[in-house]
Amino acid sequence: VSVEPQGELILDGGNLYAKEITIKGKLSSGANENISEIGGGHSSSSTFSRILFSAGSSGNLNNVKIQGGGYFQSTSAYPFSSPRPYMIWIDGATVSISHAQLINSRRPGGMVVVRNGNVDIQDSEIGWYSGYNKLTSFLEYGVVMNNQSVGHIENIDFRKMDYVVELNQGSIL
């Protein structure tokens, strides 16, 4: 799935199951009270890779459940250099997430990585819920801020994470 620079994809109570989602325009959800789901479907062996918000794009994700992402064939398939996979990649974009569940990504890995972008996450759940058994060699990451990224994180229920927030030249307000 690809949303071009002038385009907008609006999810209101529907499901979006895809391997890769690339946003160059705008992705929105949650204008009504119904929960939208983004991922690879109900299978635990899904090949859902990621949502990538490209430079200049934006997202307003409310009442959304994003799960099962982080599947990559190799590190060369990552949208930008990273030591691990993530479900949501924000690269020079602005994304707001509220009343959301970001859960059960592929392990080891993380939920959100931001490079030169802005993210606002409020009133949400981030972590692993179903079938979680801690493996000592795996490190689980919540939100990672790189380069000149700015984030606002408020009222988040982080579950079963080794690193809730990691700052690498980024800042949290």
Side-chain angles (χ1 to χ4, degrees):
V1 174
S2 181
V3 177
E4 295 305 312
Q6 301 303 318
E8 180 176 7
L9 176 60
I10 300 171
L11 296 176
D12 280 325
N15 298 326
L16 175 57
Y17 298 144
K19 180 177 180 181
E20 294 182 348
I21 301 166
T22 300
I23 307 301
K24 297 175 186 172
K26 184 173 184 178
L27 173 63
S28 300
S29 70
N32 65 38
E33 294 181 11
N34 296 322
I35 294 175
S36 298
E37 183 173 326
I38 300 173
H42 299 290
S43 169
S44 62
S45 63
S46 80
T47 58
F48 172 48
S49 174
R50 50 92 179 139
I51 301 172
L52 168 63
F53 289 92
S54 298
S57 69
S58 65
N60 188 6
L61 304 176
N62 299 303
N63 297 326
V64 67
K65 178 179 181 179
I66 302 173
Q67 68 175 343
Y71 175 84
F72 290 89
Q73 294 286 348
S74 69
T75 58
S76 65
Y78 292 174
F80 51 82
S81 179
S82 172
R84 71 195 59 81
Y86 293 89
M87 282 198 310
I88 301 174
W89 300 70
I90 300 170
D91 189 14
T94 299
V95 178
S96 173
I97 301 170
S98 66
H99 303 285
Q101 289 183 307
L102 311 179
I103 60 172
N104 301 329
S105 75
R106 291 288 181 112
R107 298 170 56 211
M111 299 297 176
V112 179
V113 62
V114 185
R115 179 177 78 170
N116 297 319
N118 300 297
V119 66
D120 181 357
I121 307 174
Q122 297 184 38
D123 304 314
S124 297
E125 301 172 5
I126 298 177
W128 282 265
Y129 287 80
S130 63
Y132 181 90
N133 294 312
K134 176 65 178 160
L135 300 174
T136 57
S137 62
F138 286 2
L139 294 177
E140 318 298 355
Y141 290 78
V143 180
V144 175
M145 307 291 291
N146 294 318
N147 301 76
Q148 301 302 312
S149 299
V150 177
H152 174 245
I153 298 175
E154 182 178 337
N155 196 28
I156 306 300
D157 180 8
F158 288 100
R159 297 200 179 195
K160 301 177 183 168
M161 317 288 300
D162 293 299
Y163 297 93
V164 172
V165 176
E166 179 179 313
L167 300 175
N168 300 311
Q169 299 178 354
S171 61
I172 297 291
L173 303 174

